[in-house]
Amino acid sequence: MLLALALALGGPLAGAAAAQDCRIALSLGLDVSSSVDAAEYRLQTEGLAHALVAPEVVAAFLGEPGRTVTLQVYEWSGRGQQVVRQDWVPILGEADLARVAGRLLASGRGFSNFPTALGEAMAFGALALADAPDCVEHKLDISGDGTSNDGISPSEALARFPFDRVTVNGLVIGSSREALARYYQRFVIHGPGAFVEAATDYSDFEQAMRRKLERELQPGRFAGR
């Protein structure tokens, strides 16, 4: 039903319509490393797509009339394995979110047999945000089900890449989520108001992503400048 709605809306995303002030540039990074099997990947993709069109999330995106949120979505795995699934698009209305959701559902998985290069994923997100439209706040949303085991560490990424204006939030998934949340709190999240959300497993991903998006789309420290 969601995909049918998105396809019925048709037309290009509203990328050329960015005439309004941007309050948040939000980049969503999704773990597609080898620990994520095909069924979990489907749950993650469908969970994000459904979360984006949930009424409370739509309201959060559109909660400040005249001040937009600009969204990007990418998948990440080992070092050098990152792919953009949705390039920067201003969310001007509910139809834009439906189109993003439809695009995610229609796209295929980029990688499946590579390790978990969490620091590299963070670096990719920081560089993407450095190239994002000019927004008051920059936020990076990293989801994952394991600790980094390839490439630079999250701490190295924070030290070497442009995170000075970026808030990094985390969403941890799975049975080891409590230990993983502590790892994210210590090494991954960064900036004013940064936090970690948790999903019990991939079937809970949609609800966790809904909570996370509602929270991180609230005005932050830089709002009102």
Side-chain angles (χ1 to χ4, degrees), residues 21-118:
D21 290 338
C22 179
R23 64 185 181 95
I24 299 174
L26 175 62
S27 180
L28 306 180
L30 304 175
D31 182 0
V32 296
S33 60
S34 58
S35 61
V36 181
D37 65 27
E40 291 169 339
Y41 177 79
R42 177 181 56 78
L43 287 168
Q44 179 175 232
T45 303
E46 292 178 355
L48 175 57
H50 285 89
L52 287 173
V53 297
E56 65 270 29
V57 174
V58 173
F61 269 98
L62 306 178
E64 294 188 51
R67 303 185 70 223
T68 63
V69 174
T70 300
L71 179 65
Q72 182 209 50
V73 183
Y74 69 96
E75 294 179 349
W76 62 270
S77 183
R79 70 178 80 189
Q81 280 90 47
Q82 301 95 23
V83 61
V84 173
R85 286 302 182 203
Q86 170 61 62
D87 207 352
W88 292 110
V89 56
I91 303 302
L92 305 179
E94 186 174 0
D96 294 310
L97 289 168
R99 291 188 186 107
V100 172
R103 176 169 289 177
L104 294 173
L105 290 172
S107 66
R109 180 172 182 163
F111 311 101
S112 58
N113 296 311
F114 292 92
T116 304
L118 182 52

Side-chain angles (χ1 to χ4, degrees), residues 22-218:
C22 179
R23 64 185 181 95
I24 299 174
L26 175 62
S27 180
L28 306 180
L30 304 175
D31 182 0
V32 296
S33 60
S34 58
S35 61
V36 181
D37 65 27
E40 291 169 339
Y41 177 79
R42 177 181 56 78
L43 287 168
Q44 179 175 232
T45 303
E46 292 178 355
L48 175 57
H50 285 89
L52 287 173
V53 297
E56 65 270 29
V57 174
V58 173
F61 269 98
L62 306 178
E64 294 188 51
R67 303 185 70 223
T68 63
V69 174
T70 300
L71 179 65
Q72 182 209 50
V73 183
Y74 69 96
E75 294 179 349
W76 62 270
S77 183
R79 70 178 80 189
Q81 280 90 47
Q82 301 95 23
V83 61
V84 173
R85 286 302 182 203
Q86 170 61 62
D87 207 352
W88 292 110
V89 56
I91 303 302
L92 305 179
E94 186 174 0
D96 294 310
L97 289 168
R99 291 188 186 107
V100 172
R103 176 169 289 177
L104 294 173
L105 290 172
S107 66
R109 180 172 182 163
F111 311 101
S112 58
N113 296 311
F114 292 92
T116 304
L118 182 52
E120 305 279 350
M122 293 169 61
F124 184 88
L127 293 174
L129 283 161
D131 197 38
D134 186 19
C135 300
V136 178
E137 295 183 81
H138 287 184
K139 295 187 177 183
L140 176 59
D141 176 330
I142 292 283
S143 304
D145 67 1
T147 59
S148 187
N149 58 24
D150 188 38
I152 63 172
S153 70
S155 297
E156 288 178 280
L158 288 171
R160 290 170 49 185
F161 288 84
F163 282 96
D164 53 308
R165 286 191 60 223
V166 177
T167 297
V168 183
N169 299 320
L171 194 164
V172 297
I173 310 152
S175 58
S176 62
R177 63 191 177 279
E178 292 182 1
L180 189 55
R182 291 192 293 270
Y183 175 88
Y184 269 57
Q185 287 163 352
R186 182 174 180 183
F187 299 113
V188 176
I189 67 171
H190 169 80
F195 67 95
V196 179
E197 184 60 71
T200 56
D201 54 32
Y202 279 93
S203 65
D204 186 41
F205 186 85
E206 178 185 342
Q207 293 303 319
M209 181 58 76
R210 287 191 188 197
R211 295 191 299 268
K212 192 164 189 287
L213 288 169
E214 280 191 276
R215 184 171 175 180
E216 65 196 350
L217 292 171
Q218 296 173 357

